[in-house]
């Protein structure tokens, strides 16, 4: 390790020590998260302007920063599957899943898919308003290579019936390792089967059911203890993730594709405002929603991982929004692979409208628009909640619309920047589905929702 790399790592460790000092002084968790974000941006800018994109010192520094940033994301992913499994099973043993189970699940799926269709419409309108056209973008070697990769991956895309079939857990123990893009849904289904089995057992063999409940409750307490330990690391993870993102961003490419970046964020913000409108239509204060979800949305933004944000997502729904455990876990889990508003809604629709003119198709004809929105909504099943989910969604939509997939590679240089906003919108969509579902089934605890976020800390 040369001196410059050692110096860069020492800077990160110094800031980590400062954040730890704030923790020892009992500074609020949310305040420390935002301080970590701000210091991460400043550190990233310093590294970017001090060394330049692609410099040897910067390339040698980032793997060390990834130990903190990516290490934190991996720890969250480590607890995501066990958390989903035990939380849903515990919802049955605690009788928080009752006669409204089917209705709640149906509402969650309807909101997720419906908002994705609306997100596609917003993406279309924004693309037309900004007059975006794929032919206007110059392709370099990286873009061409990305286009070829997407073309190759298109051969791996399964049909819609096959995509739905992949959600069923042939091997739940494999799904607990996150082996498939739809592993989370597989774990949800397996846990639900065990839950219904418990309810049957409780009617027939009360003593055995009581022993099962004790075991589930004990395991639930153990897993939640791990969740709390990992969540305490959030300020440090956000710091390192943000520093890496800013330090490695290609600002030249961002300037060249600035019009597309701006249009993308206009669409994403418009969709987030629609989320707030939906929350207000349920009779709840949308500003309260913003305040209480700020930390999880911030983490989703910096990490670009809906799966990594799942523990924070579920904790936010149950502790701050007043959503029951069962509904929160279903909403968070289904939101990982179904109806992602940003990755499966806004992004593929914008690409399709941009690419259509390159092959002589008018994207403003009613038949094209209706087909595109329907395909986006239906194809939102099975989109992975990790990096690359948007690429997978784009391949499905462009293939179904008979549009050239290779042209989607023109945006590779600004993908990380846009993906941050897309991921935050995905997570927001899953939480909104939880609010709507629990409100419709009269299970939302409005007292918890309306109380101050300071009275409901995510980490204690």
């Amino acid at each position: 390790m040369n001196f410059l790399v050692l110096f860069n790592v020492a800077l990160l460790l110094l800031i980590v020590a400062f954040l730890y000092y704030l923790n020892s002084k009992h500074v609020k968790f949310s305040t420390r998260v935002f301080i970590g974000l701000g210091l991460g941006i400043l550190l990233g800018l310093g590294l970017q302007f001090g060394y330049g994109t692609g410099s040897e010192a910067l390339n040698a520094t980032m793997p060390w920063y990834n130990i903190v940033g990516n290490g934190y994301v991996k720890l969250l992913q480590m607890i995501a599957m066990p958390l989903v499994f035990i939380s849903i099973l515990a919802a049955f043993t605690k009788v928080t899943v009752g006669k409204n189970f089917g209705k709640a699940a149906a509402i969650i799926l309807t909101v997720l898919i419906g908002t994705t269709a609306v997100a596609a419409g917003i993406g279309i309108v924004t693309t037309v308003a900004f007059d975006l056209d794929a032919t206007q973008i110059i392709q370099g070697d990286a873009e061409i290579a990305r286009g070829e990769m997407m073309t190759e991956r298109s051969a791996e895309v399964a049909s819609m019936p096959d995509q739905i079939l992949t959600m069923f857990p042939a091997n739940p123990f494999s799904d607990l390792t996150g082996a498939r893009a739809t592993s989370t849904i597989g774990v949800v289904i397996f846990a639900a089967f065990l839950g219904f089995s418990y309810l049957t057992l409780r009617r027939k063999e009360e003593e055995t059911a009581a022993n099962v409940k004790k075991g589930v409750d004990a395991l639930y307490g153990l897993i939640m203890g791990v969740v709390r330990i990992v969540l305490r690391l959030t300020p440090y993870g956000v710091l390192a993730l943000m520093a890496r993102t800013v330090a490695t961003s290609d600002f030249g490419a961002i300037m060249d594709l600035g019009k597309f970046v701006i249009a993308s964020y206009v669409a994403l913000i418009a969709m987030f405002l629609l989320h707030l409108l939906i929350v207000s239509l349920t009779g709840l204060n949308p500003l309260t929603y913003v305040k209480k979800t700020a930390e999880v949305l911030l983490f989703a933004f910096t990490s670009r991982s809906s799966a990594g944000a799942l523990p924070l997502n579920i904790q936010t729904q149950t502790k701050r929004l007043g959503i029951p455990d069962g509904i929160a876990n279903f909403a968070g889990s289904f939101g990982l692979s179904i109806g992602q508003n940003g990755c499966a809604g806004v992004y593929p629709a914008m690409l399709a409208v941009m690419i259509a003119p390159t092959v002589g198709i008018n994207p403003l004809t009613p038949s094209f628009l209706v087909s595109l929105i329907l395909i986006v909504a239906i194809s939102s099943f099975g989109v992975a909640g990790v990096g690359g989910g948007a690429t997978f969604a784009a391949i499905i939509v462009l293939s179904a619309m008979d549009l050239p997939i290779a042209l989607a590679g023109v945006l590779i240089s600004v993908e990380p920047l846009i993906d941050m906003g897309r991921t935050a919108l995905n997570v927001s969509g899953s939480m909104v589905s939880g609010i709507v579902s629990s409100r419709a089934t009269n299970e939302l605890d409005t007292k918890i929702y309306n109380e101050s976020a300071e009275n409901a800390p995510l980490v204690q």
Side-chain angles (χ1 to χ4, degrees):
M1 188 188 302
N2 62 42
F3 173 76
L4 290 177
V5 175
L6 191 62
F7 175 75
N8 297 338
V9 173
L11 277 179
L12 177 67
L13 294 178
L14 187 64
I15 299 175
V16 167
F18 173 68
L19 290 173
Y20 182 78
Y21 170 77
L22 295 180
N23 180 42
S24 67
K25 293 297 181 182
H26 306 292
V27 174
K28 286 193 304 181
F29 176 74
S30 57
T31 302
R32 287 185 282 118
V33 170
F34 281 100
I35 290 175
L37 173 70
L39 293 176
I41 293 173
L42 292 176
L43 178 58
L45 288 173
L47 295 173
Q48 169 73 239
F49 292 113
Y51 301 107
T53 304
S55 66
E56 183 178 343
L58 203 56
N59 290 338
T61 297
M62 289 305 105
W64 295 97
Y65 278 42
N66 287 340
I67 293 176
V68 179
N70 289 355
Y72 173 64
V73 174
K74 286 181 179 295
L75 288 176
L76 285 169
Q77 292 171 338
M78 171 191 76
I79 61 175
M81 291 299 185
L83 176 62
V84 169
F85 174 76
I86 196 61
S87 294
I88 289 178
L89 186 53
F92 282 87
T93 62
K94 295 175 181 178
V95 201
T96 56
V97 174
K99 61 181 180 180
N100 289 324
F101 171 78
K103 180 180 179 181
I107 293 172
I108 289 169
L109 290 174
T110 300
V111 172
L112 288 172
I113 298 170
T115 52
T116 299
V118 175
I122 290 176
I124 291 169
V125 171
T126 306
T127 305
V128 173
F130 278 80
D131 192 25
L132 298 176
D133 188 335
T135 58
Q136 301 169 356
I137 303 173
I138 300 174
Q139 296 193 60
D141 293 338
E143 287 76 13
I144 293 172
R146 169 67 175 274
E148 292 174 349
M149 180 273 291
M150 293 183 71
T151 302
E152 292 172 1
R153 285 191 63 183
S154 65
E156 304 171 6
V157 175
S159 63
M160 182 53 59
D162 288 338
Q163 279 182 252
I164 295 174
L165 192 60
T166 60
M167 297 180 189
F168 292 90
N171 185 345
F173 299 101
S174 174
D175 283 336
L176 282 167
T177 69
R180 304 180 299 137
T182 55
S183 283
T184 307
I185 295 179
V187 170
V188 169
I189 293 173
F190 179 56
F193 268 98
L194 289 178
F196 283 117
S197 177
Y198 166 80
L199 295 179
T200 302
L201 188 66
R202 190 175 62 183
R203 288 195 300 270
K204 297 181 178 180
E205 300 180 39
E206 292 185 8
E207 186 176 343
T208 303
N211 291 332
V212 171
K213 184 180 185 305
K214 287 180 182 178
V216 170
D217 289 347
L219 190 56
Y220 178 80
L222 187 64
I223 295 298
M224 290 308 298
V226 177
V227 170
R228 286 190 288 271
I229 292 171
V230 175
L231 292 185
R232 290 192 184 104
L233 303 175
T234 301
Y236 315 112
V238 168
L239 162 70
L241 288 167
M242 204 67 218
R244 181 197 64 190
T245 299
V246 175
T248 57
S249 294
D250 187 341
F251 289 108
I254 292 172
M255 292 297 291
D256 293 338
L257 294 172
K259 188 177 180 182
F260 179 77
V261 174
I262 293 172
S264 296
Y265 271 92
V266 167
L268 294 172
I269 292 171
M271 192 60 207
F272 182 69
L273 292 176
L274 181 62
H275 286 176
L276 299 185
L277 176 61
I278 293 172
V279 170
S280 66
L281 290 176
T282 66
L284 300 171
N285 189 332
L287 294 180
T288 300
Y289 172 82
V290 174
K291 292 176 183 177
K292 292 200 165 187
T293 61
E295 285 132 316
V296 63
L297 295 181
L298 175 62
F299 173 73
F301 184 83
T302 54
S303 68
R304 297 166 49 206
S305 173
S306 299
L310 183 60
L312 270 172
N313 182 342
I314 294 173
Q315 286 280 91
T316 299
Q317 288 191 60
T318 56
K319 285 194 168 188
R320 290 189 168 178
L321 301 180
I323 299 171
D325 282 344
I327 292 178
N329 277 276
F330 273 95
S333 304
F334 279 124
L336 287 184
S337 300
I338 296 175
Q340 294 194 341
N341 291 179
C343 289
V346 171
Y347 183 66
M350 291 184 72
L351 280 183
V353 175
M354 288 174 61
I355 293 173
T358 67
V359 290
I361 297 176
N362 181 2
L364 299 183
T365 60
S367 60
F368 181 90
L369 295 175
V370 172
S371 298
L372 177 57
I373 292 174
L374 287 176
I375 288 172
V376 166
I378 295 171
S379 65
S380 66
F381 281 82
V383 176
V386 294
T391 297
F392 185 69
I395 290 173
I396 296 173
V397 172
L398 295 178
S399 296
M401 298 294 293
D402 289 324
L403 296 173
I405 296 168
L407 283 177
V410 299
L411 304 170
I412 183 175
S413 54
V414 293
E415 270 288 291
L417 180 61
I418 299 171
D419 198 37
M420 296 167 79
R422 290 192 309 234
T423 306
L425 186 65
N426 294 341
V427 172
S428 177
S430 71
M431 291 191 290
V432 168
S433 73
I435 287 176
V436 174
S437 179
S438 56
R439 194 67 163 162
T441 56
N442 295 316
E443 294 183 68
L444 184 77
D445 190 329
T446 53
K447 181 180 178 181
I448 292 177
Y449 184 93
N450 292 320
E451 71 180 4
S452 171
E454 295 181 13
N455 296 331
L458 295 178
V459 177
Q460 294 178 338

